[in-house]
Amino acid sequence: MALVTTKEMFEKSMKEGFAIGAFNVNNMEIIQGIVNAAAKNNSPVILQASSSAIKYAGINYLVNMVKTASLEYPNLQIALHLDHGADFETCKMCIDAGFTSVMIDGSKYDFEENIRVTKEVVDYAHAHGVVVEAELGKLAGIEDEVNVSESDSSYTDPVQAKEFVERTGCDSLAIAIGTSHGAYKFKGEAKLRFDILAKIKELIPNTPIVLHGASSVIPELVDMCNEFGGNIPGAKGVPDEMLIEASKSGVSKINVDTDLRLAFTASIRKVFNESPEAFDPRKYLVPARDLIEQTVSHKIVNVFGSNDKN
Ligand code: G3H
Ligand code: 13P
Ligand code: ZN
C-alpha cells in the first residue's frame, strides 16, 4: 500500500495500550532489516530520517527506498517521518518529497516561538495531508543525574502541554520525562518521570505522546562491540521494563536510533574480527541487516507490544 500517516496507528495504540516503534534509517540495509521485522510480526512501523540522514543518503534515495519497502510489503502500514525538523523549510522539503509525517522541533525556542513555528508547519502539513509531531520540554541536559533537580524546568509542563496542543493543532507531542539521546543516558540509576506522563495524559488524553531518546542501549550489543575492538565504556539506556510501562501508559511512539547503530556496528565488527580475509561488503552487510531485524523484532514483540496490530 502507499505510505500512510500515523493517524490510524496512533488511534489504535491509544485505544489498545501499545506503542509503535519509530526507527531511524540511513541506508537500504537498515530499512530492510526494520521492515522485515515489522512484516514478520505484523506490526505497523514508522521509519524516520533525520536531516543528517537526508544529507547522507539524499532525500530521493530515502523516499524511494521506503516506498519500495512498502511495495514489497503491500499490507504493511509504513509511515515515513522527518525526525527533528529544525525549521519550516526542512519540513516543507520533506512534505513536498513524499514524507507522510514531520517533526518540527521547536524545543530550542521559548514557548511562544515554539507555538508560532509549529503552527506554521501544521498549517502547511495539514493542507497536504501530512501529520505533525511537535516537542515541548528539553531532553538535553536531563541525562546528567547530578543536575536533575536543577533541570526540573526542562521536563515538559503538563499544563503548558495542553495549551500548546490546543493552540498549534499538532497531531502528536514529544515530551521530556528523563530520556536523552545517545548511548549515555544515565550516570546513576535509570529514572523516568511517569508522574509527569500521567498528568499529561490526564490533561490531553487524545493526543498521542512520543518518547525520544528511548533506546535501551542493549547491553549485549555494547558488549559485542567492545569484544570485537570497540570502545564504548559505561553506556546505559532506558531499561525494557520502563519502556513496557510507557507503552502501556499512553506513549504511542518510541524513537530508536542508538540500538540500531549498535546492532549494525557490532555485527560488522564481528565479521571484520573473525574473518579478516573478507572484503565482499555483502559478507558483513547481511549479518548487519539480520541483527537489525532481530533487534527490531525484540522491541516490537517484547517491549512495545505492536505485534499483530497492523
Ligand atoms: O535524535 C537524533 C537521531 O538519533 C538522529 O541522529 O542526526 O546523527 O542522524 P543523526
Ligand atoms: P536514541 O538515541 O535513544 O536511540 O533516540 C533516538 C531518537 O530519539 C531519534 O529522534
Ligand atoms: Zn529524538
Side-chain angles (χ1 to χ4, degrees), residues 111-266:
F111 188 60
E112 288 300 326
E113 180 59 11
N114 192 353
I115 288 179
R116 192 200 62 73
V117 68
T118 300
K119 179 90 177 60
E120 189 183 10
V121 172
V122 167
D123 289 344
Y124 187 81
H126 286 182
H128 292 79
V130 168
V131 291
V132 178
E133 172 185 326
E135 178 165 332
L136 189 64
K138 284 196 183 72
L139 265 68
I142 295 175
E143 56 196 313
D144 189 345
E145 191 70 17
V146 178
N147 289 329
V148 162
S149 57
E150 299 156 24
S151 66
D152 244 18
S153 60
S154 290
Y155 293 117
T156 305
D157 176 334
V159 174
Q160 272 198 342
K162 182 171 162 38
E163 183 185 342
F164 184 88
V165 168
E166 284 168 359
R167 286 176 60 191
T168 60
C170 66
D171 301 278
S172 60
L173 185 68
I175 61 167
I177 57 166
T179 60
S180 61
H181 293 106
Y184 302 93
K185 299 191 192 298
F186 304 99
K187 282 211 175 112
E189 218 183 300
K191 192 172 177 297
L192 293 190
R193 292 289 302 272
F194 282 102
D195 57 319
I196 296 178
L197 171 62
K199 188 74 192 160
I200 291 170
K201 284 310 288 186
E202 191 188 313
L203 294 181
I204 42 171
N206 300 320
T207 301
I209 297 301
V210 180
L211 211 53
H212 280 248
S215 277
S216 43
V217 190
I218 299 170
E220 292 79 10
L221 296 179
V222 176
D223 290 348
M224 192 171 158
C225 284
N226 289 336
E227 184 187 342
F228 296 110
N231 182 20
I232 316 172
K236 196 183 234 180
V238 184
D240 277 353
E241 308 78 65
M242 289 188 182
L243 296 169
I244 292 170
E245 189 178 341
S247 305
K248 291 179 176 164
S249 313
V251 170
S252 289
K253 173 174 178 272
I254 295 188
N255 284 11
V256 176
D257 187 1
T258 298
D259 282 335
L260 303 186
R261 295 177 181 200
L262 289 170
F264 208 76
T265 302

Side-chain angles (χ1 to χ4, degrees), residues 24 26 48 50-53 83-84 181-182 212-213 255 257-258 261:
N24 283 74
N26 293 279
Q48 58 187 12
S50 67
S51 289
S52 26
D83 191 27
H84 293 283
H181 293 106
H212 280 248
N255 284 11
D257 187 1
T258 298
R261 295 177 181 200

